[in-house]
Amino acid sequence: MTKEPGVLTARVVSWPAVATIGLTALASAAVIWLTAVPFGPEVCALSLPGPRNCFPSQRIQAASLPTLAIMAITVLSIAVTLVRPRISRFVSFVAVLLLLAMTAIAYVLVAWNPALAWSGLSGANP
């Protein structure tokens, strides 16, 4: 078996691109879940019934779908980066932009409108 000049024999994997995508996804998930599960006993006003975004079940419900979307974006972009290492910079750039946009959208959904689309479907709160 002879080697031809100019032929790449080993696959070059762009680990910095994979690490960038992975770290951005972890930071995005952390922002979503720290918003969904707030700290301290004084998270909501003492009025009963509390506003819709005070119920932990609704916040967790609202954070689940964006978390799944972030996981899907991350897995797909890392898979493309590993399969096609020549376009890893472009994929990394697009994935980071998508993850940041998803984080901003998820923050609004979780912090202010967590039960917007999911409260009637779950049956958790009558």
Side-chain angles (χ1 to χ4, degrees), residues 2-67:
T2 61
K3 292 184 182 180
E4 298 175 22
V7 174
L8 208 57
T9 57
R11 290 193 92 145
V12 178
V13 177
S14 179
W15 291 111
V18 172
T20 302
I21 295 168
L23 290 175
T24 306
L26 285 175
S28 298
V31 166
I32 291 170
W33 284 99
L34 288 175
T35 304
V37 186
F39 296 110
E42 299 172 0
V43 173
C44 294
L46 295 176
S47 64
L48 291 176
R52 293 172 73 176
N53 62 349
C54 284
F55 300 115
S57 63
Q58 291 175 342
R59 288 182 155 235
I60 290 171
Q61 205 174 13
S64 298
L65 186 61
T67 302

Side-chain angles (χ1 to χ4, degrees), residues 21 25 68-82 95 99:
I21 295 168
L68 289 175
I70 285 173
M71 288 173 43
I73 292 169
T74 303
V75 167
L76 287 174
S77 57
I78 287 176
V80 171
T81 299
L82 293 176
L99 289 169

Side-chain angles (χ1 to χ4, degrees), residues 87-103:
I87 60 170
S88 64
R89 274 192 190 162
F90 176 73
V91 171
S92 175
F93 179 74
V94 170
V96 167
L97 288 181
L98 281 173
L99 289 169
L100 291 175
M102 189 65 212
T103 302

